[in-house]
Amino acid sequence: MIKVAVAGCIGRMGSTVVETVQAADDLEFVCGIDPYAENTPYPSFKTIGEAVDACDFDVIVDFTQPSAVADNIRTALAAGVNCVVGTTGLSTETLEELASGAPEGVCLFYAPNFTTGAVLMMQFAKAAAPFFPEAEVIEFHHARKKDAPSGTAVRTAQIINAARNRSSEAPGKETEIDGCEGARGALVDGVPVHSVRSMGFVATLEVIFGSMGQTLTIKHDSWDRTSYMPGVLLGIRSVGEREGLIIGLENFML
């Protein structure tokens, strides 16, 4: 039985993770962690430090805030707790720094997206990238998302750049007219990334590839947060078999 704590337990994603862990026969939900948690029907703590001192758990799942996640990870790893992190906004350099301080045998697993469809979308983009000189990423999220671009968009751009052997020849920021800076998006490893924030979306990511006389569009939609739960469960069940830093659900899927 894997003992699990959930940071951000009363948030939209965190509360769904709590319900999912509670329903799994091979997992034990030990406690929730959230600075705003009050009168929860399960043990809950304001900080990870308090939870570590009071409870015994093997894995912590973090869906909190970009401003809090690094300190959360650092505290959990120092206590020998494996981390499954879905909070985006962390750079690869920060993740590497956090993992370097972890005790031997402890794993920091970070996934910019836990939906199996998004992982496959990134793999399809990786396969297409060498054949198209141009690529742009457009991501759509709900209006309350705290970071832009999304972790999935950043990861997708990085994968595309690593898979292709040429640079874009499309006009870039030098073509932006005065007062409209940003029209060409943010450059992530040479790939333009555009972020849309609006009510009506949960998470959508679209990659548009172009070459002479043709385009290829790869798109993934997530309409409900339950779509993330199979990936979260896979991370919880797999993280104890690894150590160090693991980035991307594909490491457990493929």
Side-chain angles (χ1 to χ4, degrees), residues 68-175:
V69 61
D71 287 341
N72 290 348
I73 294 170
R74 188 174 289 107
T75 300
L77 292 176
V81 177
N82 294 312
C83 296
V84 173
V85 180
T87 307
T88 56
L90 291 173
S91 67
T92 300
E93 292 74 19
T94 298
L95 290 167
E96 290 172 344
E97 181 270 322
L98 291 167
S100 68
E104 184 176 351
V106 179
C107 183
L108 166 55
F109 169 55
Y110 168 78
N113 197 303
F114 279 92
T115 60
T116 52
V119 172
L120 292 171
M121 177 273 301
M122 286 186 272
Q123 294 303 307
F124 298 154
K126 179 180 179 180
F131 301 97
F132 290 86
E134 309 300 342
E136 305 215 7
V137 175
I138 309 173
E139 55 99 352
F140 308 76
H141 278 82
H142 55 88
R144 295 183 180 180
K145 185 166 176 59
K146 301 295 185 182
D147 57 323
S150 69
T152 307
V154 171
R155 180 65 174 156
T156 302
Q158 292 170 339
I159 288 172
I160 290 170
N161 180 62
R164 65 185 183 179
N165 57 5
R166 67 184 93 182
S167 299
S168 171
E169 296 180 1
K173 291 186 175 296
E174 71 278 3
T175 64

Side-chain angles (χ1 to χ4, degrees), residues 30-33 43-57:
V30 174
C31 66
I33 302 153
S44 61
F45 302 89
K46 302 294 185 184
T47 68
I48 288 181
E50 292 174 2
V52 166
D53 290 341
C55 300
D56 177 32
F57 44 90

Side-chain angles (χ1 to χ4, degrees), residues 7 16 38 42 143 145 237:
T16 306
E38 293 183 2
Y42 48 77
K145 185 166 176 59
R237 290 166 177 153

Side-chain angles (χ1 to χ4, degrees), residues 130-254:
F131 301 97
F132 290 86
E134 309 300 342
E136 305 215 7
V137 175
I138 309 173
E139 55 99 352
F140 308 76
H141 278 82
H142 55 88
R144 295 183 180 180
K145 185 166 176 59
K146 301 295 185 182
D147 57 323
S150 69
T152 307
V154 171
R155 180 65 174 156
T156 302
Q158 292 170 339
I159 288 172
I160 290 170
N161 180 62
R164 65 185 183 179
N165 57 5
R166 67 184 93 182
S167 299
S168 171
E169 296 180 1
K173 291 186 175 296
E174 71 278 3
T175 64
E176 295 172 348
I177 64 176
D178 291 344
C180 295
E181 290 77 11
R184 290 291 292 121
L187 273 182
V188 179
D189 284 9
V191 178
V193 177
H194 311 267
S195 297
V196 177
R197 296 291 178 267
S198 176
M199 292 186 292
F201 290 104
V202 175
T204 292
L205 191 137
E206 186 172 318
V207 185
I208 302 173
F209 289 102
S211 68
M212 187 69 68
Q214 64 173 332
T215 60
L216 171 66
T217 300
I218 305 171
K219 182 180 180 182
H220 174 257
D221 295 300
S222 178
W223 301 114
D224 191 276
R225 290 177 179 85
T226 55
S227 65
Y228 294 81
M229 294 306 108
V232 172
L233 290 174
L234 179 59
I236 293 170
R237 290 166 177 153
S238 303
V239 70
E241 302 169 359
R242 304 290 187 95
E243 66 177 337
L245 175 63
I246 305 292
I247 299 177
L249 190 64
E250 65 272 15
N251 290 283
F252 299 147
M253 281 179 58
L254 306 174

